[in-house]
Amino acid sequence: MRHDTKRTLPVMALLAVSALATGCSDFEPEEIVVDLRPIAVQTEPPEVFVAVADGADEGLVLKVTADPAPVQVNYLVVNPEDMTTPMQIEVIACLTIESRRCDDPDNTVTKVASLTSPPGTFSLTFTPTAAQLNTWLSEDSFQGFGGLFVTLEAIIVQPGYPTEHVAKTVTYNVPFVPRGEGQDPPPPKLPNQNPTLDGIRFDEALSIMDGEVIELPAGREVPMEPIFDRERIEETYPVPTFPTSADETPGYRILDETFEVQFWVTEGAELGASELDSDTPLGPVTDFETSIVPPATPGEEATLYIAIRDDRGGGSFYTRIIRAR
Amino acid sequence: MFRLRVTPGRALLACAALLTLATPAWAQEGARRLGDEEAEAAEAAAQPPPAPVLTRPPELVQFVEASYPEAAKATQREAAVQLILTIDAEGKVTDAVLQGEPVGDGFDEAAIEAAKQFVFRPAEMDGKPAPIRIGFTYRFKFVPEAPPPEEEAEAEPVARLVGRVREKGTGAPVPGAPVGVPAQGVEVLADATGRFTLEGVEPGEIELIATSPDHRREVVTLTLAEGEEVDVQFRLERLRRSPFETIVRGEREKTSLTRRTLDQKELRTVPGTFGDPLRVVQNLPGLARTPYILGVLLVRGTSPGDSAVMIDGHEVPLLYHFAGGPSVLPPEMLGRIDFFPGNFSVRYGRAIGGIIDVETRVAWPKEWHGSAEIDLFDAGLYMEGPLTDDTSVSASVRRSYIDTILRFGEAVSDAPLATVLPVYYDYQARVNHKLGGKDRLSLLVFGSHDDLTVVGDPGDQSGANADVDAALGFHRLKLSWKAHPTDAVEWDLSPVVGVDFTGIDAGRVQADGTVVEFGLRHDLRIQAADDVVVRTGLDLLGRYVILSADVPLRTSNYRPHPAAGFGSRPTDELERSILLNGAAIYGEVEWAPGGGPVTLIPGVRTDYYRYFDQNRFFADPRVNARWALTDAFTLKGGAGIFSQAPPEWRLDEEFGNPDLDLEWAEHYGLGFEWKLTEALTLDVEGYWSRRHDLAERSDSVTVEGGDSGFASINPARFESTGTGQSYGIEMLLKHEVTDRLYGWISYTLAFTEADSGQEGGQGGAGEAGGGGRLNQPHNMVVVASYKWPGNWETGLRFRLGSGNADTPVVGDTYDGDEGFYRGLQGDDNTTRQPLFHQLDLRIERTWIFKAWELAAFLDLQNVYNAENPEFTTYDYRFRNSAKVRGLPVFPSFGVRGSF
């Protein structure tokens, strides 16, 4: 009957050391985009409801009976050093595993697309068949309970730069959750929607156009705030709960989405906080204001990238051009 | 979705947390307490026992006056006959021989005849009556016959000297010390309290001399008037350890294959250990080096949770404040630390790694003594003294005050700061009582409390900044009844009750846990025959766990989206009241056939566990053997089975797996002990251990049901699939503590392999052993300390060993769901940090005053500032890496006053 404190206290101490190590290093800051960088990926829609066989009314995705709706996948991959040389892009799909790579020999891998594109935005369509989904269902340890999570891995090669592997999850699900004994009827289950920003406020000015050029005082810190409808993007949704013994029945519980907004800039500009989370283990956040420092030389430009993501694979991305005046 | 974002502010916070966690135990040197007149008998040791300690000198209780030899009456001479008396354990003089040149005229024979009739209160070695030899000067002075009654002789004018003989610095009395005026031939022996009365001293200028075999003689010159009484207080300076020849009765128990013991001197003065006795253990073979100042035990490749730390045979949950600060017991309360790296006696259980058993010190002071220490971070007090002739008490308390300093700094700077405020305290109190004969009763209460408050920086824009309050601690009350109902039987009955508590309040995370613990040990020792000792015992443990928490936990009954990180999980209210029980019965026989060179110690321990309505039984048979080929060379070997329950929370029905098996291990060892000289011993042991049924995290899920539904989904969470293996050789070349020198060279060659038994888990044996990133194939420690004249002491510690194992990152993937890169790890623990090497030095000076002592030391860790990387850190894309260095040059200093 060993005390677990002997395991947890050293782990806490090691975490402190790790935080110390990270904070005290000289690595380039993550929020500054210098070379080839995947910024964000969006799947539209992020969650697809599928048709399943009769009797699958307990929250399981048991057997898909029809090909699901296609999913459009939008990428933002940039390279401030070279925005013209085409990238070779290979996209494959597999069941989601912890590494987010499609390299587990026990999982079936399907080729999705091969394309070429210069850095910037590019898109493709993912259209798995019912047979393919059923193959992945049979490989899933939960047999699809709570959803079938498929990873799209994009392998991006631009000559002269390290290969980038970019992973994105597409969720296939059923449009219902089971009702457990003694539970009220479950609320309607809707597929996840991508969260969006209504605009970005720079001090007093509001920018709502993607790709817009914003002129700001050179070298001076300017308050910056993402504008969004929190009620709309923080969806409430039911998830099925599974029984852990024979005398239990499946049921559901209600969860609230959380989201985060992330910022990047190209060299010349600086950011205050580059990541704003709606909720943290330490408590909810109500202040989403950060700041940006434009380039120091009037006329110089930097690119600002923004992404908003929820915790169910939904997301959107935006670009602004910051010009110093 | 939440990810710990490291900003400069938070990095500074972590730096401050690490530095404040590194609160050392400053200034722990203190003088040997001569007031301890009795200590518990030492137990068996695999190594030859250290030199016995004279805890009470002999005291003359019946003096026999010798007849003035006829042959000398004509000369009326005075004489002083130097004798060596041999006193047995009952206080009788078994031999008296002349020392030096004979005096002649029959004085020698008269002195010897009288001395042989002396009766002493016997000397005590390590608290037990023991034979001893002492020097004794028998003085003869001619006293003429009394004049006829009708003649009234004129009374000689005399003076009287009274006083006391005590030891300089400690103030302890020096009983039996001869005090006299040699020129006048008058001498007395100080009594048990050091007091003396010298009658019939002729007035005038005299030299009064006090001596003692263990002390430097002191001479006081006085001028006495007629009829004057003068009080003289002597403070004798102690010379060195007892030079007397001693015979130790009884041998320590040797029921474990290897037992490494450190005594008080070694516990306090090893460089680089902050004067903390429990850290000294980490310099012995069998223990891997821990990074920084982490206070965990890595015994022969096992994880920290596989080894147990006990205080007087009862396990305690914490050893160090904040996992890396001072230990929870101050040096004054420690008597001895025993470390068993494996193959330990059946007396110990519920562990598959090693055992550290800390024996608290039993003090029987004749007078009150104490000490006070203060340093940059904490202050402590210690007192001990007699309540009655049969009852003594000792107590200690320590409290940190860095929080006060930081709050003061914040107030003075008038600016909000991100503040980390650690507070810790510990306390111990002990009452000892002699019941009669050798029976003893003692009550020990001790406890520890750690409290950490983090005050967030309101200027941080990056997210929520919650204040954090965390607390951790325990309290224990232990009773011990040691009885000797017959000469052949002794037992120790020891119940203990206690409470452990943890608590955290950090934003969404709220948790409070309380554990009420009850334990009972009954150890019985029976000398069944001349060559047979039987030991049996009972070891009961009950633990009632009460937990209330509101935390975002690993999900229990639903499947989250892969992008749902820790921060997005809903909080679950958790209420638990769990009773965990354990009961063990053990027995072993120590058999030395014919009292001969071979000793066999077979034993068995049966453990019963009950947790979460599950019953588990396990039997641990063990055997150890010793073969003394010569007086100086002993072969030893052993094998055994060891078991333990998995950590409690891995058995939880909702978040763990109550069907986990007990974890168990096989230990095998073979080696020798070689006493090269009186003070130098070599101990070599090869070992091999295999571990089975270790609880490992599992992703496997069991789904039962058909196409139209299903009966259940059971994520295993944990499975008993882990295995491990460790093997190697340990060597310890040790110089015992003598007058001036102690030290040792320790070398360990160790290999560890581990396999989680899970897909994608650790597996195989590689250069780094394949299991455990803290596995270090080579580990050498050199410790030496030398005492110079003038009460200076210097010491060094040099460590040379393998760096920590590391798992390389061989690629990266950008996670589009969560917005960060994930590193792709290669094979576990297949690379290694550079060689570790570090030199620590210590210098210490003690000033001895009449009534007190002052000690000051400077301890310098990592003298030449070696880098010694402990980990590798990566940039956000895992494309660039940097080594995280170990502790830089780190000075610590302290002062301590004691009386």
Side-chain angles (χ1 to χ4, degrees), chain A residues 26-144:
Chain A
D26 293 324
F27 296 137
E28 60 188 31
E30 184 176 354
E31 64 269 20
I32 307 295
V33 181
V34 175
D35 51 19
L36 182 66
R37 280 280 292 272
I39 299 294
V41 188
Q42 178 193 60
T43 56
E44 184 58 65
E47 184 175 27
V48 178
F49 283 172
V50 296
V52 294
D54 287 342
D57 57 356
E58 290 154 344
L60 292 183
V61 181
L62 286 174
K63 188 174 172 59
V64 179
T65 57
D67 292 346
V71 172
Q72 179 168 316
V73 189
N74 304 311
Y75 292 83
L76 176 59
V77 180
V78 301
N79 187 351
E81 289 183 344
D82 183 358
M83 290 294 283
T84 56
T85 304
M87 305 180 295
Q88 301 298 321
I89 302 152
E90 182 100 5
V91 181
I92 55 179
C94 63
L95 204 59
T96 299
I97 57 175
E98 193 171 342
S99 68
R100 297 295 197 274
R101 288 272 189 110
C102 289
D103 55 1
D104 186 337
D106 291 333
N107 287 348
T108 305
V109 178
T110 299
K111 184 173 174 180
V112 175
S114 289
L115 63 150
T116 305
S117 170
T121 59
F122 60 90
S123 301
L124 54 92
T125 303
F126 178 49
T127 53
T129 62
Q132 185 56 62
L133 291 184
N134 285 324
T135 299
W136 283 326
L137 272 173
S138 68
E139 294 169 354
D140 180 27
S141 57
F142 280 88
Q143 295 186 16

Side-chain angles (χ1 to χ4, degrees), chain A residues 231-246:
Chain A
E231 269 190 42
R232 187 191 76 225
I233 65 175
E234 266 184 331
E235 298 172 274
T236 296
Y237 59 100
V239 292
T241 56
F242 51 77
T244 55
S245 65

Side-chain angles (χ1 to χ4, degrees), chain B residues 485-771:
Chain B
T486 72
D487 285 342
V489 176
E490 59 184 82
W491 78 51
D492 185 356
L493 183 66
S494 174
V496 65
V497 294
V499 61
D500 307 341
F501 58 90
T502 57
I504 183 163
D505 181 355
R508 291 171 61 206
V509 177
Q510 317 272 338
D512 285 293
T514 303
V515 180
V516 179
E517 191 165 298
F518 165 76
L520 177 71
R521 288 195 69 99
H522 185 214
D523 302 302
L524 182 67
R525 182 185 185 279
I526 303 168
Q527 187 78 43
D530 285 343
D531 55 358
V532 177
V533 175
V534 176
R535 291 182 196 85
T536 69
L538 183 67
D539 182 2
L540 303 179
L541 181 64
R543 192 174 286 157
Y544 188 61
V545 180
I546 306 160
L547 176 67
S548 174
D550 193 8
V551 292
L553 294 169
R554 192 176 178 87
T555 56
S556 60
N557 65 350
Y558 76 93
R559 191 183 183 195
H561 191 279
F566 180 73
S568 66
R569 293 176 195 161
T571 56
D572 283 320
E573 285 187 6
L574 189 65
E575 299 284 339
R576 289 282 190 278
S577 295
I578 307 154
L579 185 61
L580 306 159
N581 295 315
I585 297 175
Y586 67 86
E588 69 183 0
V589 173
E590 185 181 338
W591 179 39
V598 176
T599 305
L600 295 172
I601 310 110
V604 66
R605 178 186 174 102
T606 56
D607 268 286
Y608 161 75
Y609 301 89
R610 180 171 175 81
Y611 44 79
F612 293 100
D613 298 325
Q614 301 237 3
N615 294 315
R616 293 274 192 273
F617 292 92
F618 215 95
D620 296 354
R622 303 172 196 171
V623 62
N624 288 307
R626 303 175 62 81
W627 182 9
L629 293 176
T630 68
D631 285 345
F633 193 90
T634 301
L635 284 175
K636 58 182 182 179
I641 302 293
F642 303 79
S643 63
Q644 67 183 22
E648 294 147 1
W649 294 107
R650 295 190 179 187
L651 301 166
D652 185 80
E653 204 165 33
E654 191 173 345
F655 300 101
N657 181 359
D659 295 325
L660 288 174
D661 296 324
L662 292 180
E663 301 175 340
W664 65 282
E666 316 160 54
H667 291 188
Y668 305 95
L670 186 66
F672 65 86
E673 295 161 14
W674 187 3
K675 192 171 180 182
L676 299 166
T677 68
E678 195 62 37
L680 198 63
T681 58
L682 177 65
D683 181 347
V684 177
E685 181 185 344
Y687 69 91
W688 176 38
S689 70
R690 300 199 303 176
R691 296 175 290 283
H692 310 274
D693 296 336
L694 305 178
E696 298 286 347
R697 205 169 283 281
S698 170
D699 290 328
S700 72
V701 181
T702 304
V703 178
E704 294 177 10
D707 288 337
S708 62
F710 63 95
S712 67
I713 288 181
N714 273 309
R717 302 188 191 94
F718 294 98
E719 291 182 301
S720 297
T721 57
T723 58
Q725 176 174 234
S726 300
Y727 50 93
I729 297 175
E730 295 166 1
M731 188 235 20
L732 180 66
L733 179 65
K734 191 164 187 266
H735 190 288
E736 301 298 336
V737 180
T738 56
D739 292 347
R740 297 196 176 281
L741 174 69
Y742 79 84
W744 64 81
I745 299 174
S746 156
Y747 173 71
T748 304
L749 177 66
F751 300 97
T752 296
E753 299 161 9
D755 188 346
S756 69
Q758 299 289 321
E759 268 185 46
Q762 295 177 335
E767 188 273 332

